[in-house]
């Protein structure tokens, strides 16, 4: 079943939307259809961008009818929001697994592993990451959800900086700067394509760690 995931972004709901049938539950065939639509939408967003993608383009790729699409999703905004929820969930899980950012090699390595993970997640969700800004401009729910997610990520990063810092800059400001730098680098690597991921993560981890301590 569906629900609220990470402050306003919905997780994938496998039930049919009203008024499609008296029984909203779907079997394996229904779940397979829904996953096919999600995969087709991701492909369409990657190929043509969010703004230029239509429901018809998604249904053509998925090999399903418009009525079938609307059994599960209210429109392209809905489907993008749900894909973004998966993206956000993986980013949150990655941060949750991070250890303390300390003033030693261990702290630097925690940053490195997080940066490596960010690049991997962005590569898997490239279409969503690339089209996120376009979707946010037209979807108020995405604005609210993304703002809350960003704040949650910033707060988690701030909690992980456990050793005293020499600077008087507030930790939440530093965490926000780290977050912006890390996500920008992940997007850059995915878009450029020929960047050495390990080398970029190592350089960023060194730069962030030295800047902090």
């Amino acid at each position: 079943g569906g629900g609220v995931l990470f402050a306003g972004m919905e997780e994938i709901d496998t039930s049919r939307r009203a008024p499609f049938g008296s029984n909203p539950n779907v079997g394996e065939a229904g779940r397979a259809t829904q996953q096919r639509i999600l995969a087709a939408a991701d492909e369409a967003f990657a190929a043509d961008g969010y703004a230029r993608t239509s429901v018809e383009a998604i249904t053509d790729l998925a090999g399903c009818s418009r009525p079938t699409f609307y059994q599960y999703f209210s429109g392209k905004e809905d489907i993008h929001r749900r894909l973004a929820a998966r993206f956000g969930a993986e980013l949150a899980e990655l941060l949750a697994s991070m250890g303390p950012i300390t003033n030693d090699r261990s702290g630097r390595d925690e940053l490195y592993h997080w940066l490596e993970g960010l690049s991997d997640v962005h590569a898997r969700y490239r279409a969503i990451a690339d089209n996120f800004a376009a979707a946010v401009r037209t979807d108020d729910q995405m604005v609210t959800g993304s703002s809350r997610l960003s704040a949650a990520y910033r707060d988690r990063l701030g909690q992980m900086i456990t050793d005293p810092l020499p600077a008087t800059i507030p930790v939440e400001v530093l965490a926000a700067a780290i977050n912006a730098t890390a996500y920008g680098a992940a997007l850059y690597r995915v878009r450029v394509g020929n960047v050495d991921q390990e080398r970029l993560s190592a350089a960023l981890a060194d730069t962030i760690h030295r800047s902090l301590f």
Side-chain angles (χ1 to χ4, degrees):
V4 177
L5 179 68
F6 298 110
M9 286 193 174
E10 299 173 28
E11 61 185 1
I12 301 302
D13 189 337
T14 58
S15 62
R16 289 190 181 94
R17 298 174 60 246
F20 295 97
S22 57
N23 182 3
N25 296 322
V26 299
E28 289 300 321
R31 281 190 286 273
T33 298
Q34 188 189 47
Q35 293 303 314
R36 193 168 71 251
I37 295 170
L38 286 166
D42 187 66
E43 182 180 344
F45 293 147
D48 299 321
Y50 176 80
R52 291 187 298 276
T53 295
S54 64
V55 170
E56 288 79 9
I58 295 170
T59 56
D60 286 348
L61 283 171
C64 71
S65 65
R66 284 174 60 90
T68 297
F69 176 94
Y70 286 113
Q71 286 188 45
Y72 303 101
F73 307 102
S74 63
K76 75 171 186 178
E77 296 84 3
D78 183 21
I79 200 169
H80 188 279
R81 193 182 305 130
R82 292 168 187 251
L83 287 169
R86 287 183 169 181
F87 178 46
E90 288 205 28
L91 294 176
E93 289 170 4
L94 184 64
L95 261 180
S97 68
M98 177 187 279
I101 303 173
T102 50
N103 184 13
D104 56 16
R105 181 73 185 192
S106 174
R108 179 267 181 201
D109 289 346
E110 288 293 341
L111 285 168
Y112 170 79
H113 293 305
W114 174 57
L115 291 162
E116 282 282 272
L118 274 181
S119 289
D120 291 340
V121 174
H122 273 78
R124 286 197 300 277
Y125 291 91
R126 177 175 181 174
I128 301 303
D130 277 353
N131 290 286
F132 199 85
V136 166
R137 283 195 293 270
T138 59
D139 188 339
D140 289 341
Q141 281 187 256
M142 286 287 288
V143 173
T144 302
S146 63
S147 296
R148 291 178 178 174
L149 281 170
S150 295
Y153 299 153
R154 180 201 64 213
D155 292 345
R156 171 66 181 175
L157 269 174
Q159 292 167 5
M160 290 298 96
I161 302 173
T162 57
D163 280 350
L165 300 174
T168 58
I169 301 171
V171 171
E172 59 268 22
V173 174
L174 293 171
I178 294 168
N179 206 32
T181 302
Y183 288 107
L187 280 173
Y188 170 79
R189 177 195 165 271
V190 170
R191 288 172 179 171
V192 173
N194 61 349
V195 177
D196 185 323
Q197 176 179 327
E198 184 176 351
R199 195 172 171 192
L200 176 60
S201 296
L204 275 174
D206 288 340
T207 302
I208 291 171
H209 195 258
R210 290 172 185 174
S211 297
L212 285 174
F213 298 107

